[in-house]
Amino acid sequence: RDLVRSRGLGDVYKRQPLEVAAGFWVSVLLVKLQGVGLRALGYEGESAWSGVIADITKHEQMGAMVVLAGVLIWLLRGTLVDAFRRAFSRAEDVDDQGEPLSYRWAVYGTILGVLVCFGWLVAAGMAAVYAAAYVLLLITIMLVLTRIIAEAGLLMVQVSFSPLDYLLLSGGAAALGPRNLTVLTFVDCSFGWDLREFLMPSVLNSFRLAELQGISTRKVVPVIAVALLVCLLVSVPAFLITFYK
């Protein structure tokens, strides 16, 4: 199995532009050098799984994620302003015909989705400030990973942290309290920990494939919606039956 993984990873690297592939190897080299330096100083790390390397990758990824999210939002500032102008002021000078969804639907859907997630966490017992922070952090991580996967042509990217790790930096488990930690234990394990197969990169790749074939991305949206509905109707009963029977 390891051989298959290695060959698959090698094939992915071969298909990358030179600067992307070089970035992988330079990053790995820098992490290894940091690990050697810290071990030489006597630090062995907090992780029983991979020691000092796990600590390096985890905290550096957490910092890089915030920086990359800020860069992406800055680069998208013009589009975001146009989207909100179109959604709330019906700006006629903003053309969204080439987008998969109209800006109005996209903005209203985003706001509704965030409010539903926030309300769900609060109803489950989380404090409002932690619920808002968790939703914002989860969206941030997904936004950055989507850009990386889609632009670099990767199969997936698996980070070594979750939104809960950011919240724990604010004062540890004691600051969150048992009520918030109880809710986060279920939510973070289900939605925030393993993001290898989250939906956004697949949707973005679908839109790109449609564009390359000359198909309007707005025609693809209903197809994706129906596919998701079918998957939901099949997978949820199958999951419950598998685990409870």
Side-chain angles (χ1 to χ4, degrees), residues 125-138:
M126 282 187 67
V129 61
Y130 288 120
Y134 187 87
V135 172
L136 178 61
L137 289 168
L138 185 60

Side-chain angles (χ1 to χ4, degrees), residues 4-28:
V4 173
R5 287 178 177 172
S6 299
R7 290 184 63 184
L9 190 58
D11 290 340
V12 172
Y13 285 154
K14 291 175 184 177
R15 297 190 183 102
Q16 304 311 312
L18 180 60
E19 63 272 18
V20 176
F24 288 142
W25 296 115
V26 171
S27 298
V28 171

Side-chain angles (χ1 to χ4, degrees), residues 220-233:
V220 178
V221 173
V223 177
I224 295 176
V226 172
L228 290 176
L229 179 61
V230 173
C231 289
L232 186 66
L233 294 175

Side-chain angles (χ1 to χ4, degrees), residues 135-216:
V135 172
L136 178 61
L137 289 168
L138 185 60
I139 292 173
T140 299
I141 293 172
M142 288 184 171
L143 175 66
V144 174
L145 290 183
T146 299
R147 178 63 182 265
I148 292 174
I149 294 170
E151 186 168 353
L154 299 173
L155 294 174
M156 54 90 176
V157 172
Q158 184 176 13
V159 294
S160 57
F161 62 91
S162 71
L164 177 58
D165 290 304
Y166 285 101
L167 298 182
L168 290 173
L169 292 176
S170 64
L176 289 173
R179 190 181 185 92
N180 291 310
L181 283 174
T182 301
V183 178
L184 285 171
T185 298
F186 293 99
V187 174
D188 199 57
C189 290
S190 300
F191 300 108
W193 178 246
D194 193 346
L195 295 175
R196 286 179 296 178
E197 291 87 18
F198 76 105
L199 191 62
M200 289 172 62
S202 299
V203 172
L204 202 61
N205 285 331
S206 298
F207 291 152
R208 181 56 178 162
L209 289 172
E211 290 176 351
L212 292 175
Q213 298 300 318
I215 302 172
S216 171

Side-chain angles (χ1 to χ4, degrees), residues 54-128:
D55 288 349
I56 294 173
T57 56
K58 175 180 177 180
H59 292 100
E60 290 185 355
Q61 285 178 29
M62 290 173 68
M65 193 69 65
V66 175
V67 173
L68 289 174
V71 171
L72 285 178
I73 292 174
W74 176 255
L75 294 175
L76 290 170
R77 65 191 185 280
T79 301
L80 293 174
V81 169
D82 287 343
F84 279 92
R85 285 180 58 224
R86 182 69 174 175
F88 295 110
S89 66
R90 300 181 181 275
E92 298 299 332
D93 59 313
V94 177
D95 184 14
D96 59 1
Q97 293 300 313
E99 302 294 338
L101 288 174
S102 68
Y103 283 153
R104 187 172 294 110
W105 275 96
V107 170
Y108 291 164
T110 299
I111 294 174
L112 178 62
V114 170
L115 290 177
V116 169
C117 293
F118 170 76
W120 182 54
L121 292 176
V122 172
M126 282 187 67

Side-chain angles (χ1 to χ4, degrees), residues 24-39:
F24 288 142
W25 296 115
V26 171
S27 298
V28 171
L29 179 61
L30 289 177
V31 168
K32 297 295 184 182
L33 290 175
Q34 292 176 79
V36 171
L38 289 175
R39 287 299 299 270

